[in-house]
């Protein structure tokens, strides 16, 4: 009788292990949606990096006078945007 009980416990234990290992395996399967999202994020980062590099090169190619003017205009635009953004509350549009 004791031998049958031990076999039963071992069988139940093995079934539980097989179920948990099978379900864990399905979590790590490469899904095409995840792969596509990952590629899209990578491509976006690459394009942003290229854009920043081209802006930097464009700035380097300008004369000293133009660089000063570009810097001043950038500060002006930032201040304008800061004023335009509301500090809170409702906005009518």
């Amino acid at each position: 009788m004791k031998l049958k009980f031990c076999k039963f416990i071992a069988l139940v234990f093995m079934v539980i292990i097989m179920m948990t290992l099978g379900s864990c395996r399905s979590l790590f399967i490469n899904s095409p949606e995840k792969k596509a999202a990952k590629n899209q994020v990578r491509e976006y980062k690459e394009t942003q990096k290229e854009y920043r590099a081209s802006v930097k090169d464009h700035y380097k190619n300008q004369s000293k006078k133009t660089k000063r003017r570009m810097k001043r205009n950038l500060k002006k635009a930032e201040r304008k945007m800061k004023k335009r953004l509301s500090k809170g509350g409702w906005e009518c549009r």
Side-chain angles (χ1 to χ4, degrees):
M1 180 104 169
K2 191 169 182 150
L3 188 60
K4 285 185 181 180
F5 183 70
C6 289
K7 285 183 181 180
F8 177 72
I9 294 295
L11 181 67
V12 169
F13 185 68
M14 287 179 65
V15 168
I16 291 173
I17 287 176
M18 294 299 279
M19 291 174 83
T20 57
L21 291 178
S23 66
C24 289
R25 184 170 177 225
S26 66
L27 291 175
F28 299 110
I29 293 175
N30 292 336
S31 66
E33 294 87 15
K34 284 184 182 179
K35 203 173 197 178
K38 196 181 238 186
N39 285 340
Q40 191 175 12
V41 168
R42 184 177 46 80
E43 288 173 3
Y44 177 74
K45 285 181 181 179
E46 286 177 4
T47 55
Q48 287 298 316
K49 189 175 181 181
E50 290 172 5
Y51 175 74
R52 278 187 252 118
S54 66
V55 168
K56 195 173 185 179
D57 288 341
H58 175 70
Y59 185 76
K60 276 184 180 178
N61 291 334
Q62 305 304 317
S63 67
K64 193 172 186 179
K65 189 177 179 182
T66 308
K67 284 182 186 179
R68 243 183 286 141
R69 189 176 67 236
M70 288 171 73
K71 200 173 193 180
R72 191 173 51 235
N73 287 341
L74 180 66
K75 284 182 183 179
K76 245 190 237 183
E78 286 174 352
R79 275 187 254 142
K80 230 181 214 182
M81 283 303 294
K82 198 179 227 183
K83 286 179 185 177
R84 186 179 283 180
L85 295 175
S86 69
K87 305 229 181 333
W90 293 90
E91 270 188 37
C92 295
R93 290 184 185 208

